Amino acid sequence: MPEKLKSNTFLVFLALNIFYGEVKSQSSQGCEALASYYIWQGSNLTFISTIFSTTINNIISYNPQITDQDLINFGTRLNVPFSCGVINELLAHQFIYQARPGSTYQRIAELYYSNLTTVEMMTRFNSYAPESIPLDALLNVTVSCSCGNRGVSRDYGLFVTYPLRPGESLSGIASDFGLPESLLQDYNPGVDFRRGSGLVFIPGRGMQTI
Ligand SMILES: *[C@@H]1O[C@H](CO)[C@@H](O)[C@H](O)[C@H]1NC(C)=O
Ligand SMILES: *[C@@H]1O[C@H](CO)[C@@H](O)[C@H](O)[C@H]1NC(C)=O
Ligand SMILES: *[C@@H]1O[C@H](CO)[C@@H](O)[C@H](O)[C@H]1NC(C)=O
């Protein structure tokens, strides 16, 4: 990991540590959660805050590595807070994205929302067939989340929805988040962290150990 990214990651841990105390922990209705947004070249905070229906300041409050909101580092990740609830028996949040000319489910899922959702989820939660999305349609963008698992541990309350990327591994992510590998694996049973795609859920309390 580049040195710069490393220190940013550390700052994120620090911030989560600070914010953890304020974040509501799980209840039967849902919980607070974070989305790990991979910053692609061409994205910016105005765009990201719009598609997640939040404010730039709210995002910045979870990302102290950002000192200038016009300078976000492509290729790093951003924590975007959101509320995790129940959508059709799935723990998730439904964001609304207004279709523009050229919007496809693939572009929305894999670029705009940085693989926090999938074409399959877009197809499942929207009545429009992929090839006939009306202009200006308000589309459901469903991002899965976790409120923990009492069977694993009761100590973790804030979970990060984290899309895996090629080159990542269980040991790398565990060390980035300051968590035991076994704990991370227990929260994501059967998941091969080297698979390079798909979501994992990372407990946030480990950040306090840094
Ligand atoms: C922010 O990103 C969006 C999406 O890529 C783009 O359309 C918009 O022009 C960008 N705005 C600025 C000020 O760069
Ligand atoms: C999302 O995943 C696809 C396929 O794995 C990849 O091509 C794309 O670059 C990823 N999106 C971002 C923003 O990295
Ligand atoms: C989005 O989901 C809501 C239910 O959560 C549903 O009523 C609505 O029809 C969906 N929108 C589309 C475009 O399918």
Side-chain angles (χ1 to χ4, degrees), residues 40 42-44 47:
W40 43 277
S43 60
N44 52 59
F47 177 76

Side-chain angles (χ1 to χ4, degrees), residues 40-48 70 100 107 111-112:
W40 43 277
Q41 190 149 11
S43 60
N44 52 59
L45 278 178
T46 306
F47 177 76
I48 296 166
D70 295 326
R100 264 147 242 186
R107 197 167 173 80
L111 184 64
Y112 299 157

Side-chain angles (χ1 to χ4, degrees), residues 2-9 11-12 37-45 48 63-79 114 165:
E3 210 47 49
K4 173 107 173 110
L5 185 52
K6 206 150 205 162
S7 67
N8 284 350
T9 310
L11 283 172
V12 171
Y37 187 92
Y38 177 83
I39 304 172
W40 43 277
Q41 190 149 11
S43 60
N44 52 59
L45 278 178
I48 296 166
N63 296 275
Q65 76 276 19
I66 299 174
T67 48
D68 176 348
Q69 66 176 58
D70 295 326
L71 287 178
I72 54 174
N73 291 326
F74 304 137
T76 64
R77 287 172 181 261
L78 208 58
N79 291 302
S114 249
R165 294 184 56 80

